[in-house]
Amino acid sequence: DLVGGLTLRANRTLDAPAEFSSILDFESGGQAKITGVWTREGALDAKMKLDALDLSPLAHLAGPETQISGLATGEVELRATADRKLERLATKLRISSARLISDAVDVSGNFDLVASLEGEGPIQLEAGLDLSDGGRVDIEGTSTREGVLDVRATIESFDLAIVKPFLPDQVAELAGL
């Protein structure tokens, strides 16, 4: 769980939207600064700036058999309607010292992600992973909100055995760089 100190300031006059800003200093390390506007009806327009946020306390969200760690730095912007419909999402994040451990998968390195969503359109993705073992993976493409991916990956010096758990035929052997 994320535990730490919170500083919150809000300003609202009569029928005007509430302006807010908050600073979250986490005990596990890192900080989040959130600013935005929230209308009386519930529409939200917010920006969050992360500075070296330790992801370890969030590992339980990935499942009981999965471990994640790393320090997230970057920005997230979102706009939602009063009925909580996401209108816009834009993120630019870097996770330094990232690590994912799950069953046969153990990867680490620095992970960069740029993602955006406008209206009902697909999520635009650009991601790069500089692996600790010297490999590199770059991904570019789109995803639907349901998780259907249409991406192009460029792989350099990547141990293909890492992807074996994601293949439908677990009997197949896959290895190589």
Side-chain angles (χ1 to χ4, degrees):
D1 294 336
L2 292 173
V3 178
L6 168 67
T7 303
L8 174 65
R9 295 174 200 256
N11 182 24
R12 183 163 181 267
T13 57
L14 299 176
D15 290 331
E19 295 179 11
F20 64 90
S21 65
S22 65
I23 299 174
L24 300 149
D25 288 305
F26 299 103
E27 288 179 7
S28 60
Q31 184 179 75
K33 294 179 181 178
I34 305 168
T35 59
V37 176
W38 197 344
T39 68
R40 171 178 268 174
E41 296 79 21
L44 176 66
D45 191 356
K47 294 180 183 181
M48 178 170 57
K49 190 174 246 184
L50 300 175
D51 184 20
L53 175 65
D54 182 2
L55 298 178
S56 299
L58 301 174
H60 68 281
L61 298 174
E65 303 297 318
T66 303
Q67 298 176 36
I68 61 170
S69 61
L71 301 176
T73 300
E75 297 179 2
V76 178
E77 296 180 23
L78 70 87
R79 186 172 57 236
T81 64
D83 59 351
R84 305 282 192 257
K85 183 177 178 182
L86 189 59
E87 286 186 325
R88 180 176 188 277
L89 174 68
T91 184
K92 185 175 182 180
L93 292 174
R94 167 155 238 196
I95 302 174
S96 58
S97 303
R99 187 160 189 196
L100 169 69
I101 302 172
S102 176
D103 295 327
V105 176
D106 185 349
V107 293
S108 61
N110 293 317
F111 179 67
D112 294 302
L113 173 67
V114 176
S116 63
L117 169 71
E118 294 285 339
E120 296 296 322
I123 300 166
Q124 302 293 320
L125 300 169
E126 287 182 36
L129 176 61
D130 284 316
L131 295 162
S132 298
D133 66 5
R136 173 139 182 101
V137 178
D138 289 302
I139 297 172
E140 184 178 323
T142 62
S143 172
T144 65
R145 291 184 187 207
E146 295 77 28
V148 177
L149 293 172
D150 181 10
V151 296
R152 184 182 69 135
T154 305
I155 301 170
E156 296 176 25
S157 300
F158 182 77
D159 183 357
L160 295 174
I162 292 171
V163 299
K164 183 178 179 186
F166 303 102
L167 296 177
D169 181 2
Q170 291 298 308
V171 177
E173 289 190 29
L174 182 61
L177 293 176

